[in-house]
Structures are given as C-alpha cells and as structure tokens.
Amino acid sequence: MTPFSQLSGTIAERISQIRATLPDSVRLIAVTKQVPVDAMRAAYAAGVRDFAENRVQEAEAKQAQLCDLPDITWHLIGHLQSNKAQKALECFQWIHSIDDLKLAQRLDRLAAQLPNKPQSLLQVKLLPDPKKYGWLATELLHDLSALNQCENLSIQGLMTILPYGLAAAEASVVFQKTAALANTIRQQNLPHLQMQALSMGMSNDYGLAVQAGATMIRLGRILFGDRST
Ligand SMILES: *Cc1c(COP(=O)(O)O)cnc(C)c1O
C-alpha cells in the first residue's frame, strides 16, 4: 500500500489536484472515518459536499458538530447492523453498503415510513473474499427480482471494495467486471433497479476505477493522511 503519511500540500490543494484529473461526471466522496471535524471543514471549504462514514454513531456525532453546514450529503459506506437500520436512514442520504437481501428488505420496510427515501447501492464482491461483505455476482443475479420489490430504496447501482493488496492489472479487471455486472442488470429493465451509479475506487486505485467507469470514488487517506487503524 502507498503510505499517505507524507502527503504534501493542504487538504484544499490535494482536492483540487485530484479533481483536475477527474471527469466532471465523477463524484468525489470524502471518506472521513476517524477524521476530525476541522479537517472536514477544510474539505467543505474546498468544495466537497459529499462525506462518507462507515459507522452510524460517528456520523451522528459529526453531524451534530457540523450542523451549520446544511448542504452536505452523507454517505454510509460501512457494514450496517440491522439494529442500526432505522438510525442509518435518519443520518444518511446515500447507503452504499446494502450487502444482503435481508438488510435490503428491512431498510425497504423502514424507508416506506419516511418522507425522504434513501438513495442506495448494492455492495458486490466480484472476487470471493470471506472477509468482505456483499453479494457475489451469481448471488446478486439470483436476488434481483426480490430486490426489485424494494421500491423504497431507490437503488441506483453497485458498490465494491477490492480485496487488500491486488496488483493494478487485477484491480482493473475487477472494476471492469463490476461495471459489466451493472450493465447486465440494466439490460433486464427492472423498474426499481437503476444501474447508472458505480461506487468504486479508493485512494490507492481510484484512477483505475474511473477508467472502468466509476461514477463515485471514495477517498480517505489521499485527502486526510493515514488513519491510526
Ligand atoms: C475507508 C474506506 C474508504 C477510503 O479508503 P482510503 O484508502 O482511505 O481512500 C473507501 N471505501 C470504504 C468502504 C472504506 O471503508
């Protein structure tokens, strides 16, 4: 892994350098787990409006501290325990980490009661990885008709996290396969499964993800430096 501890420049400079390399259609999401709110304010001042957290509680605490910045879109990118589903729907406008059918159905039932429905993504793993959550491609294809019943989730596409330590060539292939899976699903024309969004690419590999068609990239360390864990 590239060490990001020696980053140069301010957060604003890093953001503008990265943005300059991205097509306008790609949404840069700042991943702020373990990042203090001061650094988040710096990213906000540099134009970032999309922030992602992997824990509901941490997001809630930061939202209270940043409540003077009302136009932030909050994204959940971490595994969601079903007992936190209601809270997650209250805290996040986007949920990237819907990783199995039971969770999807639970969120759908809860979202039915809400005025503002979440935007959602289905988390997939194109390489089997017991340490990662998400659907394998075959499993997802099997669950599509049930997912298409989840009308309150506004499912927009797929999200993926690569296994740790893949070489660039392998990473590219996995991103391309993820994009191809979204295409396959799109061709089924299921009315409640939009497949135009692809959330893939992190600090190490976002360039490859963008080449493969990512529409959202999730950047943490390259903006804020290394995390403690
Ligand atoms: C932490 C995290 C990221 C950001 O990773 P970096 O390597 O810091 O860019 C992106 N996506 C998910 C799901 C994460 O948990």
Side-chain angles (χ1 to χ4, degrees):
M1 282 265 190
T2 323
F4 291 101
S5 48
Q6 330 240 344
L7 288 174
S8 62
T10 63
I11 290 171
E13 284 163 356
R14 293 172 208 158
I15 289 168
S16 75
Q17 278 163 18
I18 292 169
R19 265 205 207 293
T21 70
L22 297 176
D24 288 344
S25 56
V26 174
R27 195 157 166 178
L28 187 165
I29 301 175
V31 174
T32 52
K33 57 188 181 205
Q34 298 175 40
V35 172
V37 290
D38 290 352
M40 295 176 69
R41 286 186 185 278
Y44 182 93
V48 173
R49 293 295 179 272
D50 291 287
F51 290 90
E53 291 283 340
N54 62 345
R55 291 177 57 240
V56 177
Q57 263 179 318
E58 186 172 342
E60 225 187 343
K62 286 173 174 171
Q63 287 171 1
Q65 292 175 272
L66 297 173
C67 60
D68 56 313
L69 308 178
D71 58 345
I72 292 178
T73 298
W74 292 90
H75 301 254
L76 177 66
I77 58 173
H79 175 63
L80 180 58
Q81 289 167 338
S82 60
N83 62 347
K84 303 234 174 82
Q86 176 70 38
K87 195 67 310 121
L89 289 167
E90 291 163 12
C91 291
F92 295 96
Q93 289 81 53
W94 277 84
I95 300 182
H96 294 229
S97 45
I98 297 180
D99 52 21
D100 74 15
L101 183 58
K102 265 183 93 174
L103 177 62
Q105 290 172 331
R106 182 181 175 86
L107 286 166
D108 182 59
R109 277 194 304 276
L110 294 169
Q113 316 294 325
L114 299 175
N116 301 316
K117 313 296 183 207
Q119 308 285 305
S120 310
L121 300 168
L122 304 173
Q123 183 173 345
V124 297
K125 47 179 184 184
L126 275 279
L127 291 178
D129 179 349
K131 281 187 268 170
K132 292 258 176 337
Y133 291 98
W135 280 271
L136 295 169
T138 49
E139 295 169 341
L140 183 63
L141 293 171
H142 175 266
D143 284 348
L144 286 184
S145 57
L147 288 164
N148 187 46
Q149 310 288 313
C150 296
E151 301 183 17
N152 302 297
L153 292 185
S154 192
I155 293 170
Q156 300 293 320
L158 303 180
M159 179 273 232
T160 201
I161 308 172
L162 294 194
Y164 182 81
L166 280 192
E170 296 172 290
S172 276
V173 169
V174 179
F175 288 141
Q176 286 160 15
K177 285 188 173 167
T178 306
L181 177 61
N183 263 325
T184 302
I185 297 170
R186 193 181 308 122
Q187 281 158 14
Q188 299 197 20
N189 288 318
L190 297 163
H192 301 297
L193 294 181
Q194 302 299 308
M195 279 288 137
Q196 83 287 356
L198 282 175
S199 168
M200 53 188 200
M202 310 181 5
S203 294
N204 271 320
D205 54 22
Y206 71 90
L208 301 171
V210 168
Q211 277 173 21
T215 64
M216 307 170 115
I217 57 173
R218 310 180 306 267
L219 303 182
R221 293 170 300 141
I222 201 170
L223 304 182
F224 302 109
D226 288 322
R227 292 177 294 272
S228 55
T229 55

